[in-house]
Amino acid sequence: MVAEPGGPEDQKPQSDEARSAFVPPAGVGRPTSASDDDHPTSEFAIPTGLTTEPQGSGTGSASGPGSGSGQASGPDTIGSAFAPPRTYSAQHPPPAFTPAHGSPMIRLTKEAPWQDRMRTMLRMPVAERPAPEPVQKSDEAGPAVPRVLDLTLRIGELLLAGGEGAEDVEAAMFAVTRSYGLDRCEPTVTFTLLSISHQPSLIDDPVTASRTVRRRGTDYTRLAAVFRLIDDITTEDVEVSLEEAYRRLAEIRRNRHPYSGWVLTLAAGGLAGAASVLVGGGPLVFLVAAIGAMLGDRLAWLFAGRGLPEFYQFVVAAMPPAAMGVALTLTHWSDVRPSAVITGGLFALLPGRALVAGVQDGLTGYYITAAARLLEVMYLFIGIVVGVLLVLYLGLQLGAQLNPEARFTAPDRPVVQILASMALCFAFAILLQQDRSTVLAVTLNGAVAWVIYGAMARTGGISPVVATATAAGLVGLFGQLLSRYRYTSSLPFITAAIGPLLPGSATYFGLLGMAQGNVNTGLASLSTAVATALAIAIGVNLGSEISRLFMRVPGAVGGANRRAAKRTRGF
């Protein structure tokens, strides 16, 4: 079609600069519209032919396809991009932000124990942790944040005071907060301080609470009760309100120890006597070592009642067994080995529990807590050294013939030694205030450890340090499996079982060499004792980690189950 001369087309300039970019070129029809004001110019406008999803009452419906505008006609249509969607719930809010690489696909298996589930999330970055799934009911206004944090700190205090590792304490605290609906919580555990921080959102101020652990005690029955409480809190089938959790926690703290003080004293004597038989003693050695250990235990109780530090308690507890051995030497009893008596007394004092916990914290990355625990072990060990050295030096001044070169070799009595190792583990379990249902299991675990050690070190001729590490690894493996089967802590199944492996004889001969002025010989023997103790601790931790490799542990689909720190290659 050609426009006529003088028509409206001749009135427009023909230059491209004067032509509007929005004017359709010649030959293209202009789209029909009611008016230019109705034409949408926003990129967020709904295209023609599409309708919005009805939002229920109070929202408008989109216009039909024939309207041409594609905009909603109702007056109450939500037009803000910041308005919450209709699926939003204030009680169960979504995560505060989404990572740049998207939300991770993480599935937490409910069959796995809460320890493994919480360990998995603790080793994840904060941005990759899944949203919490509260298993305990809370009010519409949300959980009481200060009370949940206080309950979490009190539970963590009991666990840390009972000897649990720092990672297990953090996992327990993390489990409690997530069960009551608190997301973005960060627990922090050191040797004497517990703290936890909760940030409601990215714009709200964080809430932080802390608690100091001032007293420590060994009561594995109380520890097991705390684990049962945490297991009930993290279970969907059991409803535990905050008030109920506080009530149960108060009952746990008020409960008496399952064994009285005199029973613990008898257990200390039985432990020392069994250890003396384990290293070659007879019935008379058993009796003398038991009497020395019981005297030392009562002296330690006396000093503890007077408020003296634990260092001096170990000093006085180490003196009676050493004095009994020196007295036997001075009276020239040929049927009694003084070295076996003193060694049996040392078995009841060596801080194996604190050593295992310290090395475990170091291997899992909690270096501050590990350094503090190992420093505590060093002080306790120095207390034992001071007590024994004082008595040995006094005995040498009185003319006691103590020969460090006459190292005893235990006779080949496998049945007697296995029974002695079981008696040692049984007495050790009583000293740790274990629940009666776990005593038999830990006794059998200790017997298996001694059988493995004897088969490797004495029958196979393998290095005692390597044999000790292997036996300790089996103790950690079986203890971890038993704890997961019982849904409780692994300490009651591990700590007493490592009793027969403790380096009592190497410690004694090292102290005797130093008392006689043979510093090189004494330091060499003490180095063997330290190497054996580290082998026990590393073996227990390695056995526990190996057991987790075969468990169904939650984690990222197609990735590693439990992330660990990458090696730094020295820089």
Side-chain angles (χ1 to χ4, degrees):
M1 174 180 178
V2 180
E4 297 179 1
E9 299 290 76
D10 292 340
Q11 304 298 326
K12 296 181 180 180
Q14 299 299 320
S15 63
D16 293 337
E17 291 78 3
R19 185 185 302 274
S20 173
F22 298 98
V23 175
V28 178
R30 189 186 187 97
T32 59
S33 177
S35 64
D36 290 341
D37 296 337
D38 293 337
H39 188 75
T41 59
S42 173
E43 60 178 335
F44 298 101
I46 302 175
T48 304
L50 297 181
T51 58
T52 58
E53 183 180 356
Q55 301 292 333
S57 60
T59 58
S61 59
S63 57
S67 61
S69 63
Q71 291 182 338
S73 59
D76 297 333
T77 303
I78 299 177
S80 174
F82 300 96
R86 60 187 180 89
T87 58
Y88 177 82
S89 174
Q91 185 176 0
H92 304 287
F97 59 91
T98 302
H101 51 77
S103 300
M105 294 296 296
I106 299 175
R107 301 173 183 176
L108 298 179
T109 59
K110 301 300 181 182
E111 295 81 5
W114 62 265
Q115 298 100 311
D116 294 328
R117 300 202 308 268
M118 296 304 113
R119 278 172 176 263
T120 301
M121 284 185 285
L122 279 176
R123 297 189 178 188
M124 292 180 183
V126 179
E128 296 184 8
R129 292 175 182 170
E133 300 176 1
V135 297
Q136 304 299 335
K137 294 182 179 180
S138 58
D139 299 334
E140 292 295 331
V145 175
R147 296 197 66 195
V148 173
L149 297 184
D150 180 70
L151 174 67
T152 303
L153 289 174
R154 291 177 183 271
I155 291 177
E157 178 189 10
L158 287 181
L159 294 178
L160 187 62
E164 276 289 347
E167 188 177 26
D168 293 327
V169 176
E170 284 194 0
M173 296 171 64
F174 199 67
V176 174
T177 55
R178 290 183 67 87
S179 298
Y180 284 107
L182 295 186
D183 193 13
R184 294 175 296 278
C185 284
E186 286 297 330
T188 303
V189 176
T190 58
F191 186 57
T192 58
L193 181 64
L194 298 169
S195 64
I196 186 169
S197 178
H198 168 65
Q199 189 173 9
S201 67
L202 295 178
I203 59 175
D204 294 330
D205 295 332
V207 180
T208 303
S210 62
R211 194 173 183 88
T212 303
V213 180
R214 303 189 182 276
R215 295 190 60 185
R216 299 177 183 273
T218 304
D219 189 344
Y220 283 177
T221 301
R222 177 180 296 175
L223 193 69
V226 176
F227 266 76
R228 285 193 295 269
L229 173 60
I230 300 173
D231 186 61
D232 290 341
I233 291 176
T234 56
T235 302
E236 295 180 354
D237 300 335
V238 181
E239 180 181 350
V240 182
S241 62
L242 281 174
E243 290 74 15
E244 177 68 15
Y246 268 107
R247 184 189 65 80
R248 291 179 57 178
L249 192 62
E251 291 180 355
I252 293 173
R253 298 180 69 95
R254 286 196 303 264
N255 282 345
R256 286 172 164 259
H257 299 302
Y259 310 106
S260 62
W262 285 103
V263 174
L264 298 181
T265 300
L266 292 175
L271 191 154
S276 64
V277 174
L278 193 66
V279 295
L284 186 57
V285 172
F286 178 92
L287 181 61
V288 175
I291 293 175
M294 288 189 289
L295 289 176
D297 185 75
R298 295 320 298 177
L299 282 177
W301 278 88
L302 179 63
F303 274 53
R306 297 297 185 269
L308 291 178
E310 198 172 12
F311 174 83
Y312 301 104
Q313 298 175 28
F314 271 77
V315 171
V316 298
M319 295 177 70
M324 297 292 288
V326 172
L328 291 175
T329 303
L330 292 174
T331 56
H332 303 288
W333 281 33
S334 59
D335 296 336
V336 179
R337 292 183 176 180
S339 56
V341 175
I342 300 176
T343 299
L346 291 177
F347 265 87
L349 297 176
L350 293 177
R353 174 182 60 87
L355 176 66
V356 171
V359 175
Q360 179 181 358
D361 288 341
L363 293 177
T364 52
Y366 295 83
Y367 300 113
I368 297 178
T369 307
R373 287 186 188 271
L374 294 178
L375 186 62
E376 179 192 30
V377 171
M378 185 188 72
Y379 272 102
L380 299 182
F381 188 77
I382 290 176
I384 298 172
V385 169
V386 170
V388 175
L389 282 180
L390 288 176
V391 176
L392 292 180
Y393 182 77
L394 180 61
L396 292 176
Q397 297 302 316
L398 295 176
Q401 300 296 326
L402 298 172
N403 187 7
E405 301 297 334
R407 293 175 178 265
F408 53 84
T409 56
D412 190 10
R413 302 179 300 175
V415 177
V416 175
Q417 290 179 338
I418 292 174
L419 293 178
S421 66
M422 295 178 67
L424 191 153
C425 295
F426 179 83
F428 204 170
I430 300 299
L431 284 175
L432 294 174
Q433 301 277 3
Q434 289 192 197
D435 188 75
R436 293 176 176 86
S437 61
T438 63
V439 172
L440 179 60
V442 71
T443 301
L444 296 177
N445 198 11
V448 171
W450 180 255
V451 169
I452 297 299
Y453 170 79
M456 294 181 64
R458 298 188 176 180
T459 304
I462 302 176
S463 170
V465 176
V466 176
T468 300
T470 304
L474 290 178
V475 167
L477 175 64
F478 294 150
Q480 199 67 236
L481 294 176
L482 287 172
S483 68
R484 292 304 186 265
Y485 176 75
R486 300 282 296 271
Y487 286 87
T488 184
S489 172
S490 61
L491 290 181
F493 302 99
I494 291 177
T495 305
I498 65 174
L501 305 176
L502 293 176
S505 60
T507 303
Y508 162 68
F509 283 112
L511 298 180
L512 181 58
M514 296 182 65
Q516 292 183 337
N518 300 323
V519 179
N520 294 332
T521 304
L523 290 179
S525 186
L526 288 179
S527 300
T528 303
V530 171
T532 304
L534 292 178
I536 293 173
I538 295 175
V540 168
N541 181 264
L542 181 61
S544 300
E545 294 295 332
I546 290 176
S547 67
R548 294 191 184 100
L549 294 178
F550 300 98
M551 293 179 183
R552 187 182 179 186
V553 181
V557 176
N561 288 335
R562 296 171 65 239
R563 297 183 180 181
K566 295 181 179 179
R567 56 194 177 100
T568 59
R569 297 183 178 88
F571 54 84

